[in-house]
Amino acid sequence: MIKEREEKLKKGQKVAGKAIWLEGFLVLLKFIVGLLSGSLVLISDAIHSASDVVSIITSWFGLKIAQRKASQRFPYGFYKAESLGALLISFLIIYASWEMFTKGYDRLFSFSQIKMPLLAIGISFLDALVLFFFGKYEIRVGKQIGAQSLTAMGEENRTHLFSSTAVLIGILAAYYRIPYLEGLIIIGISLLIFKIGLMATKNSVFALMDVSPSEPFKDKVGEAIESVPGVEEFFDLRLRQSGPFVFGETKVGIRKSIDVKRAHEISEKIEKNIKKKIPKIDSFSIHVEPFRSDFHHLVIPVRDKKGLDSFLSGYFGRAPYFLFINLKGKKIKGFYFLKNPYKNKSVRAGLSVSKMIVKQKSDILLTVEIGEISFHVLKDNLIDVYQVKNEKARKIINQFIEDKLPQLVEATRKKD
Ligand SMILES: [Zn+2]
C-alpha cells in the first residue's frame, strides 16, 4: 500500500516535471517575442505564465520533499516545506502583479510600438493550443492519482484560451492604435496574476495553520471508520493538511466487554481501511474509549412462545424458539420470536444457530449453556454471552437490566 502511494507520488512528480519544461519553454518564447515585437501585453502574459510555472515548481518540489523520510529531528516529515516555499513564492507573484498593474496603467495613455504583430499573435495562439491539450492531460492524471494540485493546474492551463484571446486583442489594439484597450487588457492580466498570487498565499497560509480538508473529504474518512466492525461510534475526528498530505486522529467507542487485544485489532483495521480508501492520509491515530450502548438486541433461547412469560430452554442449539428483544436503556421496546430450524439437525446445530443470531444483529445472548464452537463464533462477531438460570424470560431480562448477570468468558462445555 505504501508502495502504491510512492508510485502515485512519482507519477505526479513526473507530470509536474513535464509541465515545468513545457510551460517554461513557452514562457521564454513569449518573453522573447514580446521583447522583439515590443508588445507589452505579450510580456505581461509571459509573466502570468511564469507565475504558473513557479507555482508548479513549488508543488513539484513539495512532492519531491514529501518522499524524504521523517528524521528524528523532524518526526512528522518535511511536508510543510512545500507550504513554506509556496508562501515565499506567492509574495513574489503578488509583487509581479503590482508591477504589471502600474505598467498597464501607463499604457492607458500610450501605445506599444508593435513590430511583428503576426509573430506575436502566432506565439500567443500556439501557447493557448498547447496548454489546452496539456491541461486536459494534467486533469486526467490528477484525477487518476488523486492529486488535487495537478487537476487545478490543468484547469488553470485550459483558461489560457481566454487570456490568449485577450492578448490577441491587445496586440491588435496596439497595432491599430485603438486607445485604452491595450492598457486595460494588461491591467486585466495583472489582476489574473494577482489572483494566482492570492490563492497561493491563502493555500499555503492555511496549510501552515493546519487547515482541515473539505467536508466531503472528512465524510469519506468518517465512512471508512464506521465501516469497521466493532466500531460503535466515533467522535472528535480531526484532520489537518500538511503539505500534500493529511494527518488525522479520532476517538472511537468500542464496547467495554471487548478485550485489549481485540480493541487493538479493531484500531489497526480502522487505520488500514482509512489509508486504503484515502491515500492522501499519511498517518492516523486512534484513541479507544469504552462504549456502553443504550441500545441492545438481546436473544434468549426459549422453550415456548408465551411472550415475555416464555420459559427458558435448557439448551442453546436445540432450543425450540428464540426470543429477540429490543432494549433501550431500561425499557423493552419490542420483541419477536424465530422458530429454530436447526433443532433436529444431527450435528453442529449450535453453529447454525449462532450464524442465525449473527444475522439478526444481536449483541447479547442470555443462555443456560453453550458449546465451544458456538461461543467462539459469537465472540468473533462481538456478541457478549451471559449465563442465566432456567427462569421466565421476563425475570432474566430484568436481571440483565439491573446488571446482575455474570458474563461468560468461556463455553459452559467443551463439546459443541
Ligand atoms: Zn495561467
Side-chain angles (χ1 to χ4, degrees):
M1 217 153 62
I2 288 165
K3 229 182 176 164
E4 196 181 305
R5 207 181 69 203
E6 268 173 13
E7 266 161 28
K8 279 183 177 174
L9 270 177
K10 282 217 174 102
K11 194 163 183 188
Q13 216 187 346
K14 238 181 177 171
V15 178
K18 272 189 214 166
I20 292 168
W21 285 112
L22 183 72
E23 293 180 41
F25 177 71
L26 288 171
V27 167
L28 210 65
L29 212 60
K30 283 199 278 190
F31 210 79
I32 291 167
V33 174
L35 286 176
L36 287 178
S37 66
S39 166
L40 195 59
V41 174
L42 197 57
I43 291 173
S44 70
D45 192 49
I47 291 174
H48 154 212
S49 291
S51 314
D52 287 345
V53 174
V54 160
S55 306
I56 308 166
I57 292 174
T58 13
S59 81
W60 176 83
F61 185 68
L63 288 169
K64 179 133 191 108
I65 240 170
Q67 285 171 43
R68 250 185 89 174
K69 296 270 175 303
S71 69
Q72 211 152 30
R73 195 103 200 258
F74 294 96
Y76 291 98
F78 296 87
Y79 302 152
K80 283 196 175 169
E82 184 207 21
S83 314
L84 204 60
L87 184 65
L88 296 177
I89 279 158
S90 65
F91 292 148
L92 213 75
I93 296 173
I94 288 173
Y95 175 72
S97 79
W98 172 247
E99 282 284 291
M100 233 41 253
F101 183 84
T102 56
K103 291 222 162 72
Y105 185 76
D106 288 343
R107 270 298 185 274
L108 285 174
F109 314 106
S110 62
F111 293 104
S112 292
Q113 300 291 329
I114 307 287
K115 270 168 249 161
M116 295 173 281
L118 282 182
L119 182 66
I121 287 169
I123 289 300
S124 173
F125 186 69
L126 178 80
D127 173 77
L129 206 69
V130 169
L131 289 188
F132 186 77
F133 287 106
F134 189 70
K136 205 172 170 178
Y137 166 71
E138 282 177 312
I139 292 169
R140 201 186 66 223
V141 177
K143 281 193 175 148
Q144 193 188 332
I145 64 173
Q148 232 165 5
S149 59
L150 207 59
T151 315
M153 267 189 284
E155 270 156 10
E156 206 279 334
N157 273 340
R158 301 194 97 192
T159 65
H160 279 225
L161 215 54
F162 300 105
S163 53
S164 286
T165 310
V167 169
L168 187 138
I169 295 168
I171 292 167
L172 290 175
Y175 190 70
Y176 292 110
R177 311 222 139 221
I178 302 165
Y180 305 125
L181 207 50
E182 189 191 16
L184 280 175
I185 287 173
I186 294 169
I187 288 172
I189 293 174
S190 79
L191 291 178
L192 206 69
I193 301 170
F194 181 69
K195 195 186 147 210
I196 297 171
L198 214 60
M199 285 307 289
T201 311
K202 185 192 145 207
N203 289 341
S204 45
V205 166
F206 274 31
L208 284 170
M209 290 187 69
D210 291 339
V211 67
S212 176
S214 64
E215 277 306 308
F217 187 94
K218 216 174 162 181
D219 290 344
K220 244 170 109 181
V221 176
E223 277 164 30
I225 298 169
E226 268 181 334
S227 65
V228 174
V231 175
E232 299 295 335
E233 59 171 357
F234 74 91
F235 48 99
D236 291 350
L237 168 62
R238 288 192 296 178
L239 302 168
R240 64 189 172 93
Q241 189 84 39
S242 185
F245 292 108
V246 174
F247 287 69
E249 59 192 272
T250 192
K251 289 180 183 158
V252 292
I254 291 177
R255 258 188 285 151
K256 259 179 154 176
S257 55
I258 291 173
D259 60 37
V260 178
K261 196 171 154 250
R262 273 310 284 276
H264 176 247
E265 276 169 19
I266 292 170
S267 32
E268 292 249 289
K269 254 188 211 158
I270 296 171
E271 204 184 325
K272 264 193 197 149
N273 202 31
I274 288 175
K275 285 187 178 171
K276 197 176 113 195
K277 287 190 176 149
I278 308 126
K280 257 188 114 170
I281 300 262
D282 178 85
S283 86
F284 199 87
S285 29
I286 295 142
H287 183 95
V288 173
E289 301 254 336
F291 176 78
R292 187 117 208 202
S293 174
D294 205 26
F295 288 95
H296 285 297
H297 192 48
L298 264 56
V299 56
I300 306 169
V302 288
R303 213 186 286 169
D304 41 28
K305 256 175 97 171
K306 289 181 188 158
L308 294 177
D309 289 321
S310 306
F311 217 83
L312 255 76
S313 166
Y315 307 101
F316 171 66
R318 298 192 189 284
Y321 300 99
F322 288 93
L323 170 58
F324 291 89
I325 299 138
N326 289 323
L327 217 58
K328 192 192 178 218
K330 294 190 168 192
K331 284 208 172 81
I332 295 170
K333 287 285 172 191
F335 62 85
Y336 61 92
F337 286 94
L338 281 185
K339 200 174 170 189
N340 183 1
Y342 312 107
K343 187 174 174 279
N344 300 314
K345 209 175 166 226
S346 56
V347 286
R348 300 230 162 130
L351 178 62
S352 303
V353 163
S354 301
K355 284 179 181 166
M356 180 180 88
I357 288 172
V358 171
K359 252 191 195 158
Q360 293 295 317
K361 297 198 188 308
S362 290
D363 59 341
I364 308 280
L365 166 69
L366 308 180
T367 186
V368 175
E369 61 96 47
I370 189 165
E372 196 155 285
I373 293 174
S374 307
F375 184 79
H376 283 292
V377 168
L378 297 175
K379 268 277 132 184
D380 284 347
N381 287 284
L382 309 173
I383 296 166
D384 293 334
V385 184
Y386 290 83
Q387 191 169 29
V388 293
K389 292 202 181 77
N390 251 325
E391 310 258 13
K392 274 186 182 170
R394 192 188 296 279
K395 193 170 174 189
I396 63 155
I397 294 167
N398 281 330
Q399 285 172 345
F400 173 77
I401 290 170
E402 300 301 326
D403 211 3
K404 280 179 183 157
L405 297 175
Q407 194 182 338
L408 280 176
V409 288
E410 57 183 355
T412 56
R413 56 186 163 82
K414 278 265 170 266
K415 267 192 72 181
D416 203 55

